[in-house]
């Protein structure tokens, strides 16, 4: 079955500290991989994506993610968290090709930032 | 517009009433998706349109849900005889044909069924 697991439902970090949000997936082939961020009352904003090539991808707002095929993981990182990063983060996978582009989402990780 | 737009932003309806939710995708995007976000179920795929192909309706939870896309652009999601369990945020997304997975989302419509 296709699924995405975000093991951490809630994470609290201090402002300026580093951050890593975990994501593991189960998929028949190597999917396209995404991280989205959702602030309260807002839609989903695409942070970054991985299709192929370099396994370390850079995104907006200083975020990066690393694809590890052997671990079926796509963890999101940021070296220094800002208070404005407090939000909910979703990892998602989608088919690498074909007509159906529906995404499968993890349950989300809520990030709280302490001053 | 520059992004995906949805209307209304909030909708409160009585149980048993029909509702229509609208989505206007990014100009030039051929694919359009509807998802539902609820507390108990997370983000669920509902339906997908790609160009003139038949829509993928595999995620619709019941026959009370339907969607159409007119002229390859604007889409309307209709929920008939609403139930309290339909209360959720309904998100629309669009993407280009060659990267259908790379989806850009609208702000959502929060539906509350009383």
């Amino acid at each position: 079955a296709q699924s995405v697991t975000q093991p951490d439902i809630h994470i609290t970090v201090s402002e300026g500290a580093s951050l890593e949000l975990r994501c593991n997936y189960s998929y028949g082939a190597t999917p396209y991989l995404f991280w989205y961020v959702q602030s309260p009352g807002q839609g989903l904003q695409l942070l970054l994506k991985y299709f192929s090539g370099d396994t370390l991808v850079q995104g907006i707002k200083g975020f990066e993610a690393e694809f590890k095929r052997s671990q079926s993981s796509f963890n999101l990182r940021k070296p220094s968290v800002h208070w404005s990063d407090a939000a909910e983060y979703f990892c998602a996978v989608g088919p690498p090709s074909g007509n159906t582009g529906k995404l499968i989402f993890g349950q989300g990780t809520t990030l709280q930032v302490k001053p | 517009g520059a992004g995906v737009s949805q209307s209304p932003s909030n909708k409160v309806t009585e149980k048993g009433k029909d509702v229509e939710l609208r989505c206007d995708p990014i100009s030039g995007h051929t694919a359009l998706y509807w998802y539902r976000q609820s507390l108990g179920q997370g983000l669920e795929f509902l339906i997908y349109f790609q160009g003139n192909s038949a829509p993928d309706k595999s995620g619709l939870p019941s026959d009370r849900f339907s969607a159409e896309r007119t002229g390859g652009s604007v889409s309307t999601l209709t929920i008939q005889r609403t139930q309290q369990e339909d209360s959720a945020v309904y998100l629309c997304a669009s993407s280009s044909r060659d990267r259908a997975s790379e989806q850009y989302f609208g702000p959502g419509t929060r539906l509350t069924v009383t």
Side-chain angles (χ1 to χ4, degrees):
Chain A
Q2 299 171 345
S3 65
V4 177
T5 301
Q6 294 180 243
D8 305 304
I9 296 173
H10 194 108
I11 282 184
T12 301
V13 300
S14 298
E15 190 169 17
S18 63
L19 172 70
E20 182 169 30
L21 302 183
R22 295 181 291 163
C23 173
N24 292 93
Y25 66 89
S26 174
Y27 208 84
T30 300
Y32 284 177
L33 297 153
F34 306 88
W35 276 98
Y36 287 87
V37 60
Q38 185 177 36
S39 298
Q42 305 295 313
L44 298 170
Q45 182 181 20
L46 181 62
L47 275 179
L48 47 73
K49 56 188 181 275
Y50 174 78
F51 294 154
S52 63
D54 191 347
T55 56
L56 184 64
V57 294
Q58 303 295 320
I60 62 171
K61 305 185 179 186
F63 285 91
E64 66 179 27
E66 184 173 14
F67 168 59
K68 292 187 177 179
R69 184 189 307 272
S70 62
Q71 298 177 17
S72 296
S73 69
F74 189 55
N75 294 348
L76 181 71
R77 302 196 293 249
K78 186 169 185 178
S80 177
V81 169
H82 188 263
W83 64 266
S84 60
D85 293 325
E88 191 162 17
Y89 292 80
F90 292 93
C91 180
V93 299
S97 62
N99 294 324
T100 304
K102 64 183 178 184
L103 296 176
I104 300 169
F105 288 89
Q107 288 298 309
T109 298
T110 300
L111 173 64
Q112 183 179 0
V113 181
K114 293 190 302 184
Chain B
V4 177
S5 60
Q6 292 185 244
S7 61
S9 55
N10 282 284
K11 176 72 176 179
V12 180
T13 190
E14 292 180 352
K15 177 182 173 182
K17 301 281 190 183
D18 298 352
V19 295
E20 288 187 348
L21 312 180
R22 176 188 168 106
C23 172
D24 202 338
I26 292 172
S27 177
H29 277 185
T30 57
L32 185 148
Y33 308 78
W34 285 98
Y35 293 85
R36 180 169 69 176
Q37 184 176 27
S38 55
L39 281 176
Q41 302 297 322
L43 277 153
E44 305 171 278
F45 166 77
L46 296 177
I47 187 169
Y48 157 82
F49 297 89
Q50 172 62 285
N52 295 319
S53 302
D56 179 345
K57 304 179 183 180
S58 60
L60 294 178
S62 76
D63 59 7
R64 294 187 297 104
F65 288 73
S66 63
E68 63 177 19
R69 189 178 185 192
T70 54
S73 181
V74 172
S75 176
T76 302
L77 177 69
T78 301
I79 308 173
Q80 296 179 310
R81 305 180 302 281
T82 52
Q83 304 294 313
Q84 287 187 329
E85 60 263 30
D86 300 333
S87 295
V89 176
Y90 290 82
L91 293 165
C92 176
S94 69
S95 67
S96 62
R97 175 179 292 277
D98 56 344
R99 284 189 169 177
S101 291
E102 186 175 344
Q103 299 173 23
Y104 294 87
F105 283 79
T109 294
R110 179 174 297 278
L111 174 66
T112 303
V113 182
T114 61

